[in-house]
Amino acid sequence: MTEFTSLIVGPGAIGTLTCAHLQNSCKVLVHPHRPEMTLATELAIRDKRHALTWTFCEEDAPIDLIWVCCKAGKVLNTLRPLLIKHPRASVILLHNGMGPQQMLAKQFGDRVIIGSTTCGALRTSNSSYRQTSFGETQLGLQGTSPTPPALVRLLQPQENSGPMRLKIQPEIEPVLWKKLLINACINPITAYHQIQNGQIRGYGYQASIIAICSEVNAILAALGMPSIENGPELVNEVAAISAENWSSMAVDVRNNQPTEIEFINGFLVRQGNELAVPTPELEKWYKRIALTPDS
């Protein structure tokens, strides 16, 4: 494969990192899934500024890879028409929360690649972002499906030196649950109290973090899955790494925008109800955000 095209859905923080990672390897287009959308023009990585070369998608552009970086609530309605319109495209899901991954995998099979990233960025102006978390992006293929040729190329060392650090993960489900646990703690607490991620390490929030981790592990046990060891330490470690970040949920609550609470704590509460596992702490934080006016 000499040339290929990636389509990004959701040109926010993760979408911007994805563009910066891809743009030297392929053409990068953006799907305008909401009106009046604008694109950042610059990403700062440590002490270096990188110009971003992405444009909105032409109507009939052929697409090889679709990168989903938008909010979980937008995923199904946005993605299903795109996968039908672009039958040769594979989709890489990088959104927060759980639920859409399983539904899309059931409908579109091995075209769906489920991902999780620990990379992060912070908006510094209307046109600029700065990378603030330097993790990796793990990608799980469905069953024994082959890796799409475009992704094979992106995984080559010379193509994989950008900010997202792509990696194939044979066992992606435990990765998703670990990130779900972290989000179930950091997102609603920072959103409700309107604090930055690093501030949840304070003593006043630790009891809630411990309780949430315990309830998530009870759900995992009921599902026959391994527990997440040292959950509170993991949450506090991520909070320290991303200390200066505002979680997307905190920003959404502050701006009276829809949040992803249904796909994070809401998903976990529903799992607990189905499995007869009590989840009072998860439910408390779910209600605090779900019942926020205009959320």
Side-chain angles (χ1 to χ4, degrees):
M1 172 178 287
T2 57
E3 295 183 358
F4 66 97
T5 301
S6 287
L7 179 67
I8 294 177
V9 181
I14 300 302
T16 297
L17 291 172
T18 302
C19 173
H21 190 97
L22 299 175
Q23 63 185 13
N24 293 328
S25 303
C26 65
K27 183 177 183 180
V28 181
L29 300 176
V30 176
H31 176 68
H33 70 282
R34 55 180 172 79
E36 301 179 2
M37 182 178 290
T38 60
L39 302 179
T41 58
E42 183 181 82
L43 172 69
I45 303 176
R46 295 190 167 93
D47 296 325
K48 188 173 181 180
R49 298 180 182 275
H50 301 262
L52 300 172
T53 55
W54 51 358
T55 58
F56 288 111
C57 183
E58 303 94 350
E59 187 63 27
D60 297 321
I63 302 298
D64 299 281
L65 295 174
I66 302 173
W67 302 77
V68 179
C69 311
C70 62
K71 292 180 183 177
K74 299 284 187 181
V75 171
L76 294 177
N77 288 341
T78 301
L79 200 55
R80 281 171 173 154
L82 286 175
L83 284 169
I84 293 169
K85 181 178 180 179
H86 302 287
R88 79 175 192 179
S90 296
V91 59
I92 298 169
L93 303 175
L94 296 178
H95 60 84
N96 282 332
M98 289 266 257
Q101 299 96 325
Q102 293 77 8
M103 296 180 190
L104 288 167
K106 187 177 295 185
Q107 184 173 355
F108 295 99
D110 59 10
R111 294 177 64 193
V112 176
I113 299 168
I114 298 174
S116 176
T117 186
T118 53
C119 302
L122 180 69
R123 182 189 288 274
T124 54
S125 75
N126 288 338
S127 60
S128 303
Y129 282 84
R130 174 167 54 87
Q131 186 168 9
T132 52
S133 297
F134 298 84
E136 64 180 7
T137 302
Q138 300 183 70
L139 306 175
L141 304 174
Q142 298 298 300
T144 58
S145 58
T147 306
L151 185 54
V152 169
R153 176 173 165 180
L154 291 172
L155 290 166
Q156 299 303 309
Q158 65 272 22
E159 307 284 350
N160 198 18
S161 59
M164 293 295 279
R165 293 182 58 204
L166 306 178
K167 175 185 177 182
I168 294 295
Q169 171 56 258
E171 298 293 334
I172 194 65
E173 193 168 14
V175 175
L176 295 179
W177 275 91
K178 187 177 291 186
K179 184 171 183 180
L180 186 65
L181 178 145
I182 293 168
N183 284 339
C185 293
I186 293 178
N187 284 21
I189 293 174
T190 57
Y192 183 78
H193 291 287
Q194 285 298 294
I195 57 176
Q196 291 172 292
N197 288 1
Q199 292 176 268
I200 73 161
R201 293 177 294 163
Y203 177 77
Y205 306 113
Q206 294 306 302
S208 285
I209 292 171
I210 291 168
I212 289 171
C213 291
S214 176
E215 290 174 14
V216 171
N217 275 333
I219 292 171
L220 288 170
L223 290 170
M225 295 177 62
S227 63
I228 298 171
E229 296 183 2
N230 302 318
E233 291 87 346
L234 178 64
V235 171
N236 283 293
E237 178 183 333
V238 172
I241 293 170
S242 61
E244 63 182 298
N245 277 20
W246 291 91
S247 72
S248 59
M249 194 173 290
V251 174
D252 288 337
V253 168
R254 184 164 65 242
N255 294 331
N256 291 324
Q257 296 293 320
T259 74
E260 295 178 301
I261 194 68
E262 291 292 343
F263 302 93
I264 301 176
N265 296 63
F267 174 86
L268 289 165
V269 169
R270 291 189 293 274
Q271 286 280 293
N273 289 339
E274 292 174 10
L275 298 165
V277 174
T279 56
E281 194 69 20
L282 284 163
E283 187 169 356
K284 179 182 81 175
W285 288 102
Y286 166 71
K287 288 181 176 178
R288 283 183 169 181
I289 303 303
L291 299 180
T292 299
D294 299 319
S295 69

